[in-house]
Amino acid sequence: MADEPIELQLTHDLTSGRAQQVSDEVNNVVFTLQDLRVSYGDYQAVRQVSLTIAKSEITAFIGPSGCGKSTLLRSFNRMNDLIPGAKVEGLLAYHGIDIYGPDVDPIEVRRKIGMVFQKPNVFPKSIYDNVAYGPRVNHIKANMDDLVEECLTKAALWDEVKDDLKKSAYALSGGQQQRLVIARCIAVRPEVILMDEPCASLDPIATAKIEDLMRQLALEYTILIVTHNMQQAARVSDRTAFFTAELDDNGVRHGRLVEYGPTRQIFSAPQDKRTEDYISGRFG
Amino acid sequence: MSAPDTAAPLAAPSQVQAELLGSRPPLRDRAFRLALFISLTIGVVTLAVLIAYVTIKGWPRLNSTLWTNMPSIRRPERAGAQSAITGTLWVIGFTALFALPTGILAALHLEEFSKPNGRFQRLVEVNIQNLAAVPSIVYGILGLAFFARALALGQSVITASLTLSLLILPIVIISTREALRAVPRNIRDGSLALGATEWQTAYRQTLPAAIPGIATGVILALSRAIGEAAPLLLLGAVTFITFNPTGPLSGYTTLPIQIFNWTKDSREEFQILASATIVLLLVLLLAMNFAAILIRNRTQKRW
Ligand SMILES: Nc1ncnc2c1ncn2[C@@H]1O[C@H](COP(=O)(O)OP(=O)(O)OP(=O)(O)O)[C@@H](O)[C@H]1O
Ligand SMILES: [Mg+2]
């Protein structure tokens, strides 16, 4: 997957991308993770993750397959609760509040922290109803027509679908469906958007559109993205966390955080040999 | 990779030909296919003969008197099956009213809300599987003891409907669960990730998406109930009914019961009448099965 052109792409992006504006320290903190551990039954998939996520930035999670990126991402909006046997330990604080605390309602967490999945999972409904679904179930009082238009516009889809709002969402292309999912997600007015390989099933043109869109959205939302595409991480993200899976003494693989910092630094001057190997394509 | 301008010459045609023709003995293959074909023929031919037989036999009475006239013992030449037709509609209507909401909600609970592989769920699951295998006559006994006698509902439409509801409940639950299970997990995840509750997800996403599958199962279950005679005979539906039901507590007869009554009578005229009524019942059942197939085909592969 990783090969030569990455380096070229990187130098280009590093001189022009938004990555340069990011300070080394995370100032405006949205999430604080301290020694976060996620397990499925007895198997600890992710261990010892400590980091802070900055507001209105795009943070990328990268790393080889199976290192627990998706697992970790699903912890942020308590989607892991839906998997039987999954357990999250340690601290995952959202604006200083432990979202796994005793009084926290996972439904409210998911409303504030939206999610876009790898495969566009539009509902078997019209385009309009897909966007209106979230506000309806959350009893958000708004002019629905305006809200639908606003969200589709923000998701850069309005011009393409404004005459077909009553059509089935299944009639859209994969890239359009993914933008519809993003529109659907922002319709409940979240603060954070989690994206798990949002472009994995899209062609390069559709991918480029989503990437542009992400940059637009980052002005307003905090975005966490899991990606296998190193160039994508370099192009769109402000900060990058590199994970890897390592064998413990019993020969069991656990995912762990190796390095975290501004994307520019991770890609141009990684501190850890494993990070360097991975982003230069000698690994994974 | 070098340019393909120096393509390898084709192998000698005779060799390729020999390979393509193969050398496996075709005999077993053919014998197997023949066995399949014979089995299929037995099924189709039996059905065809049956339909042809009753149609030819019942032909003289296959006219509007069949549904405009009431049954009559004295004058078979003027007897019809109207009370049986309306009785069937009443009984099936109430059966649907009882069995569908109960069955669908039970399936929804098992599939969407109870802990998968929990002890309770497994117990219920085994029970439902077994209930589906209980002979219908046993449901008749239960209906007689509980609905007709204990609840003193007597030989009424409601007793028959409640009994038939119990009979088809396992089928409704099983087919609804299958339809719910066919709805992809990522639809539920998408809904939950937007802050919808599990209940909202179930009734606004999963259930509507499963409706074609549920409808198919439900129609097949109801067509099973329409054809049932055994439990109703046990409930005492053998009485001679020459009126249409007037309400849930009214007496009734149904098509299978009426057919049963007429075939018991030795007079030739009643045998013809029974055949004509069988054709009517068959047409009704085939139409329902056809509708189920249509619904299934039209809604396949939505994801
Ligand atoms: N539902 C589950 N039940 C049990 N184990 C799971 C489950 N989901 C993931 N795992 C395990 O947890 C580990 C991390 O999986 P995860 O899907 O988070 O990796 P990932 O980094 O997202 O991989 P990929 O890049 O392939 O998507 C893997 O070893 C995987 O087998
Ligand atoms: Mg993943």
Side-chain angles (χ1 to χ4, degrees):
Chain A
M1 172 195 61
D3 44 25
E4 259 67 48
I6 283 180
E7 314 263 9
L8 287 172
Q9 192 71 47
L10 273 176
T11 47
H12 165 75
D13 271 291
L14 290 172
T15 51
S16 63
R18 48 182 279 142
Q20 287 196 314
Q21 305 149 15
V22 177
S23 63
D24 284 358
E25 292 297 310
V26 171
N27 293 321
N28 210 338
V29 176
V30 176
F31 288 105
T32 310
L33 279 64
Q34 263 165 31
D35 192 20
L36 195 79
R37 306 176 297 273
V38 191
S39 352
Y40 297 107
D42 293 335
Y43 170 60
Q44 202 168 59
V46 177
R47 51 165 55 171
Q48 293 173 335
V49 176
S50 299
L51 49 75
T52 49
I53 307 274
K55 190 173 174 61
S56 296
E57 282 187 5
I58 301 182
T59 305
F61 290 176
I62 62 170
S65 191
C67 67
K69 306 179 295 293
S70 302
T71 301
L72 181 63
L73 195 72
R74 280 198 304 266
S75 313
F76 281 86
N77 65 342
R78 295 194 60 166
M79 286 300 278
N80 276 338
D81 294 18
L82 306 169
I83 299 172
K87 194 169 73 208
V88 178
E89 294 158 296
L91 177 72
L92 202 169
Y94 172 61
H95 291 298
I97 297 161
D98 182 2
I99 64 163
Y100 287 88
D103 296 329
V104 175
D105 183 357
I107 311 275
E108 287 305 319
V109 170
R110 292 184 201 125
R111 214 193 111 179
K112 288 258 189 299
I113 303 163
M115 188 162 208
V116 174
F117 300 81
Q118 173 171 347
K119 214 170 136 241
N121 59 346
V122 297
F123 300 137
K125 298 175 183 296
S126 72
I127 294 170
Y128 185 99
D129 287 339
N130 262 274
V131 182
Y133 180 75
R136 281 180 185 148
V137 295
N138 286 296
H139 309 291
I140 292 176
K141 294 203 174 36
N143 181 324
M144 202 55 87
D145 291 353
D146 292 347
L147 185 60
V148 169
E149 178 172 349
E150 178 200 323
C151 295
L152 285 170
T153 308
K154 275 191 193 166
L157 189 61
W158 175 251
D159 290 335
E160 289 161 64
V161 301
K162 61 170 181 268
D163 300 322
D164 302 318
L165 293 177
K166 296 286 165 223
K167 265 201 199 160
S168 165
Y170 282 140
L172 299 174
S173 73
Q176 288 175 323
Q177 288 192 7
Q178 199 62 302
R179 277 178 282 149
L180 178 60
V181 171
I182 292 172
R184 182 178 85 184
C185 174
I186 57 187
V188 295
R189 308 199 186 288
E191 185 194 351
V192 182
I193 304 176
L194 311 172
M195 299 184 172
D196 193 351
E197 301 186 43
C199 304
S201 61
L202 305 181
D203 66 65
I205 294 173
T207 299
K209 279 196 181 149
I210 301 271
E211 287 180 7
D212 283 347
L213 178 58
M214 281 194 272
R215 289 178 175 228
Q216 279 302 313
L217 293 173
L219 300 172
E220 218 177 314
Y221 305 92
T222 303
I223 298 177
L224 272 64
I225 175 178
V226 169
T227 179
H228 266 134
N229 183 333
M230 230 46 59
Q231 301 180 28
Q232 183 170 66
R235 276 195 302 262
V236 302
S237 74
D238 301 299
R239 255 171 242 280
T240 299
F242 172 66
F243 296 84
T244 190
E246 274 171 5
L247 296 176
D248 67 6
D249 298 341
N250 303 319
V252 183
R253 290 165 67 87
H254 305 280
R256 63 164 61 200
L257 178 65
V258 173
E259 193 169 351
Y260 176 54
T263 300
R264 131 181 65 85
Q265 182 198 314
I266 296 283
F267 278 86
S268 61
Q271 307 289 302
D272 197 293
K273 180 81 169 56
R274 291 165 294 183
T275 316
E276 191 182 341
D277 286 350
Y278 185 73
I279 59 176
S280 60
R282 279 193 288 271
F283 184 96
Chain B
M1 283 288 155
S2 62
D5 52 359
T6 53
L10 286 170
S14 57
Q15 186 197 333
V16 175
Q17 205 172 23
E19 278 171 12
L20 288 179
L21 289 177
S23 53
R24 264 164 284 184
L27 192 66
R28 262 217 263 157
D29 234 44
R30 266 192 226 157
F32 184 57
R33 275 213 242 165
L34 192 69
L36 293 184
F37 184 72
I38 291 173
S39 315
L40 184 67
T41 316
I42 292 174
V44 173
V45 167
T46 312
L47 183 65
V49 168
L50 212 73
I51 291 178
Y53 176 78
V54 288
T55 311
I56 293 168
K57 182 150 190 207
W59 189 253
R61 298 305 305 270
L62 269 173
N63 52 42
S64 61
T65 54
L66 195 59
W67 50 85
T68 53
N69 292 8
M70 291 290 175
S72 160
I73 293 179
R74 303 251 187 75
R75 290 186 294 176
E77 69 285 353
R78 290 193 52 192
Q82 192 184 67
S83 55
I85 296 170
T86 53
T88 290
L89 294 179
W90 273 86
V91 169
I92 286 307
F94 276 101
T95 303
L97 202 67
F98 298 136
L100 304 197
T102 323
I104 292 171
L105 290 180
L108 204 57
H109 181 275
L110 283 174
E111 209 46 43
E112 307 291 323
F113 294 98
S114 66
K115 213 162 34 155
N117 301 321
R119 195 179 279 176
F120 170 75
Q121 199 194 15
R122 254 187 291 168
L123 186 75
V124 174
E125 213 153 286
V126 169
N127 258 303
I128 292 170
Q129 302 285 350
N130 288 337
L131 278 181
V134 170
S136 60
I137 193 86
V138 177
Y139 286 97
I141 299 172
L142 176 72
L144 182 67
F146 188 64
F147 300 127
R149 303 223 172 115
L151 296 184
L153 293 169
Q155 298 171 20
S156 61
V157 167
I158 209 95
T159 304
S161 303
L162 287 169
T163 307
L164 290 179
S165 303
L166 290 185
L167 177 74
I168 65 168
L169 198 59
I171 314 176
V172 174
I173 294 177
I174 290 169
S175 55
T176 303
R177 289 189 68 182
E178 258 154 35
L180 290 172
R181 223 171 293 165
V183 177
R185 175 78 231 170
N186 67 19
I187 300 275
R188 296 175 178 87
D189 283 348
S191 171
L192 293 166
L194 287 169
T197 62
E198 294 202 346
W199 169 239
Q200 287 172 324
T201 302
Y203 89 99
R204 300 183 78 138
Q205 295 290 354
T206 321
L207 196 56
I211 276 180
I214 296 175
T216 310
V218 157
I219 292 175
L220 294 179
L222 287 179
S223 70
R224 158 112 198 257
I226 286 184
E228 278 293 342
L232 300 187
L233 286 173
L234 212 86
L235 288 172
V238 274
T239 34
F240 179 65
I241 300 279
T242 59
F243 55 86
N244 294 329
T246 51
L249 289 173
S250 159
Y252 68 98
T253 182
T254 66
L255 287 169
I257 302 287
Q258 194 60 57
I259 292 165
F260 176 77
N261 283 343
W262 278 332
T263 46
K264 273 193 316 184
D265 200 301
S266 57
R267 280 173 283 178
E268 178 64 12
E269 194 60 33
F270 279 121
Q271 300 300 319
I272 296 172
L273 203 52
S275 296
T277 313
I278 289 171
V279 173
L280 188 71
L281 183 58
L282 272 177
V283 168
L284 182 65
L285 293 178
L286 289 179
M288 288 178 75
N289 288 6
F290 188 65
I293 291 170
L294 267 191
I295 293 176
R296 199 179 53 204
N297 286 353
R298 279 192 46 180
T299 51
Q300 258 172 1
K301 297 248 184 298
R302 282 167 72 212
W303 27 76

